[in-house]
Structure formats: C-alpha cells, structure tokens
Amino acid sequence: MNRTFEPTPRHDTKDKILDAAERLFADQGFAATSLRQITTEANVNLAAVNYHFKSKEALLSAVIGRTFEPINRRRMELLDQLELSSGSGRPGLDEAVRAFVRPALEARSANAKSMRYFPRLMARIMAEPGGLAAPVMLPALQAVTDRFMPVFQQAMGVNKRSTVLWGAQFSIGCMARCLIAPEFIQAITGENQPQESMEQMLDRVVCFIVGGMQALAEREKSLCIGA
Amino acid sequence: MNRTFEPTPRHDTKDKILDAAERLFADQGFAATSLRQITTEANVNLAAVNYHFKSKEALLSAVIGRTFEPINRRRMELLDQLELSSGSGRPGLDEAVRAFVRPALEARSANAKSMRYFPRLMARIMAEPGGLAAPVMLPALQAVTDRFMPVFQQAMGVNKRSTVLWGAQFSIGCMARCLIAPEFIQAITGENQPQESMEQMLDRVVCFIVGGMQALAEREKSLCIGA
DNA sequence: GTATGATTGAAACGTTTGTATGAATCGAAC
DNA sequence: GTTCGATTCATACAAACGTTTCAATCATAC
C-alpha cells in the first residue's frame, strides 16, 4: 500500500474537529460547511469525522451539545443561588432575567479567540424550531423553560401563562440579538463603536427586557380591569 | 435531437421560481436548497433558473429583494403618514414602533398559504450580517435606520445615539422572534395555543418594545445624573 | 409566411459531497 | 516481544451539485 504516513498526535483529534466545526458551522451554516473544510482546518483526516462522530449530523449535535449545555447549567446554578439568597426564596425580575441572560453573554466573552463564531451559531440555531438541531435543543429548552417560567411569572406578578410565554420569547429574541448586535451596528453605521464590555452589554439588555416584561404585566392588568 | 417536449405556459415561470425559492430557502436555508428542488417544486426546467436569474446567488438576492422591499416601503409610508397627522410632526414612541413593526407582521399574515416560510426566511437573513444577503440587505437596513433612528431618539427623549442604536437592535430581535414565536411556543409547551391574531401579536410585541425602550431612556437619564 | 429574439427543454460537464473500506500505525496490557 | 482494540490514513464510490450548451419552440412584428 502506497502510504505517506505522518502521524498526528492522537490525544486531541476529537476536540480539534469539534472546535473547527463550531467555527465553521457558525460562520457558514451547517449545509454550506463541508467535512473537508472542517478536517482541513482541524488538520485531521477526513475519515476521522465518521470514526469519532458517525455522521455530519451527529457532529452538529455534538457541537451544539457542548456549546449550549454549559450555558443552561450555569443558568440553573445562578437561579438556585438566587433563590437561596433571597429571603422569601423569590427573586426579583431583574435578578431572574440576569440569571437567564448572563451565561449566554459570558459564553460569548469566554470565546475570546473565536468571538465571532459563537453568537452566530446561537442565532442560527435559535431561528430553527424544527431544524436539524431540534432533537438536541428542544429538551434543553424545555428544561430551562420549566425552571424559569414559574420564576418569571411570579416576579412579573401576572396570572396568565401566555403573558409569560410571550415575554420569554421576546426576551430570547433580545438576548440572541444582543450577541450579534455589535456586528450589525458596525455594518449599518460604518462606525467603529467603542467596544462595550460584557457587563455593559448585560446591563443594557437586562434593562430592556425587564422594562418590556413589566410593560406586558401592566398591559395584562389593564386588560383585566377592562374586561 | 431526442426531445419530448411538453410546453409550459410561458407567462409566469419567473414568479413560480421566486415563489418556490422563497419557500425552500426559508425552510431549509440557502445552501441546503438545491436548484433541482426549486425547479421541481416550481415545475419548471432547471436551465430556467440560470436563464432568468443567472446564478443561484442572484436568485437569493431577488427573493430577498421582493420580500423585504415592500416591508420597508410600507414602513416609510406609515411613518410619513404619522408625521403628517401628528400636530407637532413628532410621533409618540408607541406609534413609531408600530410603524416599524407592523409591516413585518402584515407580511406574515399576507402569506397565509405559506405562513410557515416568511418568518423563517426573515430570521435566517437577520442572523447573518456578513452573509450572502448582505449586499441586498445592508442598503435596505441603512435606509430604514436613517429614517427611523432620529424619530426613535426624539420619541425616547435621549441624547446618546448609542442608546437608540442598542434599543433598535433589541427591537429588531423582538420583532424577528415574534414572527416565529408561535412555532417555538408550540414546540416547547406541546400545547396547541389558541391562534393569536396579527393585531394581538402586534399589541404584545409593541408593548414589550416600548417598555424596553422607555427603560433604556430612564437608564440613560439616571446614569447622567450619577455622572 | 418569414425573421428574430425570448424562452424552454434535455443533456453534458467538471466539481464536490458524505459515506465507506481496508490497511497501516499506535498505545496499552500482558 | 506479542496481541488486540483504538485510531489514523489514503482511496474509492455513488450521488448530487451549479453551470453551461445547443437545439427546439414560442411569441411578436413585419
């Protein structure tokens, strides 16, 4: 067999593939990213993808799982801590929203060397309720929803579940947008805006979301009075 | 030449391609949609795509242009009317936000027979500042931004342009999310929520956005007092 | 009827794709 | 050193892809 073998260190092939896939899926989307692009960037052999991950789709699931699972775990931790440190076990709306949003912004900041990729991956995945990522994403979203929705509802002081559900959806929209907004602002204005810190961005988006949720709560109350 | 020719009516090939492309690009994304899928759904010949649109990318640009251009034109019209009918030529924040959001929701409703497609197309496009759609989208976004941003700023009563820019980005996030929220709510809760009318959805999202923007304005004022 | 440009049709082309295959190499245990 | 499973390598395969080509057909004007 004609083989020009240059051995690759064998201890991190899988991670190299995951890293490259995360970057390229985020930048180009799943379908437009070929396995050869991934393996070229990761400097591994094409067959390694199927060996370690069985299929391209399974690779996507793995990328999503390792990206989003820590965020959701962090959310749960923050909320648990909040409830412990709140005298009545009932966090305020501002605190609850922070616990929801902060992990996503933290993840953005933690990916300093590939900061341009994570926000787009998240934006792409969040736009696809029935897409390829659904089997991985829906259970995760379900768990977070089950945990946070009652807290939001209590903090908003509303009776209707639909008010909370819509508020949560708009909050997700804000949060997702927040992750890519710097790129958009740059593209639209052509200005090099001074870089905002993560805490500044967090303050802005939490302020907006809390204001919006409180407005929805007020709306519900005034509709009840009118009915 | 061996040809089994069945003539197609020649008066609407281009529109059939655009319709099919809009549906499939929205549902699957650009890269995952092949021209053969489009032409099969449109019941036209493969070569027609390149004849009428020159390339797949040009087809995408055409789809985006015909989808988003009417929305933006409607936005401008609504705002013009608003300024005419406002005594001082200065619309309130609620009205300005409505003028921004309503056309998108209207477009969703107008696509009754393909309602599942338009929201996703919009969500996909909005997630990609530097993507394939950028040459078409950025000028359109620029025009809308130039027109609405001063109105929002005045209505919010803030001095800093950055406050308005961020508020606008969060608003776009809310609006985009609003278009696909019914699917998400359905997927997460497994419940068949009663269908909300367009006006109900519009009221909800405008309420949230206005609340959020007012909160940002208050935040700016309190930061100025503190500084 | 003829001429001409527009439009459609079938097929070809070269490239790319994900998956699969079997051999070579590696690393750990004995 | 030998064995065995894990891992990597080069290659093959069939299918799919966007673009192109050229002839047939259509529609309109004269």
Side-chain angles (χ1 to χ4, degrees):
Chain A
M1 189 169 189
N2 189 12
R3 185 167 187 158
T4 58
F5 188 56
E6 298 180 4
T8 301
R10 290 180 159 231
H11 45 282
D12 60 349
T13 300
K14 196 169 176 178
D15 279 342
K16 284 159 78 175
I17 295 172
L18 285 168
D19 287 344
E22 181 179 331
R23 291 195 290 271
L24 289 164
F25 285 156
D27 205 23
Q28 301 174 166
F30 176 72
T33 302
S34 70
L35 291 178
R36 287 167 176 83
Q37 284 178 306
I38 292 168
T39 51
T40 298
E41 175 152 327
N43 196 30
V44 301
N45 186 271
L46 176 62
V49 177
N50 302 91
Y51 177 80
H52 287 286
F53 297 103
K54 199 173 88 171
S55 72
K56 190 183 177 186
E57 288 193 18
L59 174 61
L60 177 65
S61 296
V63 166
I64 290 161
R66 82 164 189 162
T67 302
F68 286 88
E69 188 269 336
I71 293 177
N72 287 339
R73 192 172 62 237
R74 181 91 177 111
R75 280 177 174 144
M76 304 295 201
E77 287 170 6
L78 287 179
L79 193 52
D80 291 344
Q81 287 168 20
L82 256 189
E83 285 173 336
L84 278 183
S85 61
S86 301
S88 57
R90 296 175 160 195
L93 185 58
D94 186 271
E95 292 167 311
V97 171
R98 261 176 211 275
F100 186 68
V101 174
R102 176 185 278 278
L105 291 206
E106 280 176 347
R108 183 180 191 275
S109 296
N111 279 284
K113 72 173 186 271
S114 61
M115 189 151 71
R116 59 181 298 201
Y117 303 109
F118 166 75
R120 290 209 199 164
L121 180 63
M122 194 163 183
R124 283 183 191 274
I125 301 301
M126 302 295 276
E128 307 190 359
L132 287 177
V136 180
M137 288 296 295
L138 285 182
L141 285 176
Q142 187 83 47
V144 171
T145 300
D146 290 346
R147 183 72 180 86
F148 274 82
M149 213 55 48
V151 178
F152 285 163
Q153 184 156 3
Q154 182 269 170
M156 286 166 84
V158 294
N159 295 319
K160 287 187 183 174
R161 181 158 150 89
S162 64
T163 302
V164 192
L165 281 172
W166 282 97
Q169 286 298 312
F170 298 145
S171 303
I172 289 168
C174 285
M175 179 184 63
R177 190 70 187 189
C178 185
L179 295 173
I180 57 176
E183 292 178 71
F184 263 96
I185 290 170
Q186 164 76 359
I188 289 168
T189 64
E191 301 163 14
N192 250 343
Q193 296 290 331
Q195 281 280 21
E196 294 223 346
S197 71
M198 188 210 84
E199 294 293 343
Q200 284 172 322
M201 283 168 66
L202 181 63
D203 284 346
R204 284 192 196 271
V205 69
V206 168
C207 175
F208 189 95
I209 290 171
V210 170
M213 281 188 155
Q214 283 170 340
L216 284 183
E218 293 296 331
R219 176 176 172 268
E220 181 185 300
K221 285 166 195 162
S222 62
L223 286 181
C224 284
I225 291 171
Chain B
M1 186 166 188
N2 188 12
R3 184 164 190 163
T4 58
F5 188 57
E6 298 179 7
T8 302
R10 291 184 155 228
H11 45 281
D12 61 349
T13 300
K14 196 168 175 179
D15 279 343
K16 284 159 75 176
I17 295 172
L18 285 168
D19 286 345
E22 181 179 330
R23 289 195 292 271
L24 289 164
F25 286 156
D27 205 22
Q28 303 176 166
F30 177 72
T33 301
S34 70
L35 292 178
R36 286 167 176 84
Q37 285 176 305
I38 291 169
T39 51
T40 298
E41 174 151 331
N43 196 29
V44 300
N45 187 270
L46 179 61
V49 177
N50 300 91
Y51 177 80
H52 287 285
F53 296 103
K54 199 173 88 173
S55 71
K56 189 183 176 187
E57 288 193 18
L59 174 60
L60 177 64
S61 296
V63 166
I64 290 162
R66 85 165 185 161
T67 302
F68 285 87
E69 189 269 335
I71 294 177
N72 287 338
R73 190 173 62 237
R74 180 95 177 109
R75 281 179 173 142
M76 305 297 201
E77 286 170 6
L78 286 180
L79 193 52
D80 290 344
Q81 286 168 24
L82 256 188
E83 286 174 335
L84 277 185
S85 62
S86 301
S88 56
R90 297 175 159 197
L93 185 57
D94 186 272
E95 292 167 312
V97 171
R98 261 177 213 272
F100 187 68
V101 174
R102 177 185 278 277
L105 291 207
E106 279 175 347
R108 182 180 192 275
S109 295
N111 279 283
K113 72 174 186 277
S114 61
M115 191 154 66
R116 58 181 299 202
Y117 303 107
F118 166 74
R120 291 208 196 166
L121 180 63
M122 193 161 182
R124 285 184 189 273
I125 301 301
M126 301 295 274
E128 310 191 354
L132 287 177
V136 180
M137 288 296 294
L138 286 181
L141 285 176
Q142 188 82 50
V144 170
T145 300
D146 290 345
R147 183 71 180 87
F148 273 82
M149 213 53 52
V151 180
F152 285 162
Q153 185 156 4
Q154 181 271 162
M156 286 166 82
V158 294
N159 295 319
K160 287 186 183 174
R161 182 156 148 90
S162 64
T163 301
V164 192
L165 281 172
W166 282 96
Q169 288 297 314
F170 298 146
S171 303
I172 289 168
C174 287
M175 178 184 63
R177 190 72 186 188
C178 185
L179 296 173
I180 58 177
E183 293 177 68
F184 264 95
I185 289 171
Q186 163 77 1
I188 289 169
T189 63
E191 299 162 18
N192 251 343
Q193 296 289 330
Q195 281 280 17
E196 293 224 347
S197 71
M198 188 210 83
E199 295 292 343
Q200 284 172 323
M201 283 169 65
L202 181 64
D203 284 346
R204 283 192 195 271
V205 68
V206 168
C207 175
F208 190 94
I209 290 172
V210 169
M213 280 188 155
Q214 282 169 343
L216 285 183
E218 292 296 331
R219 176 176 174 270
E220 181 185 301
K221 284 168 198 162
S222 62
L223 287 181
C224 284
I225 291 171

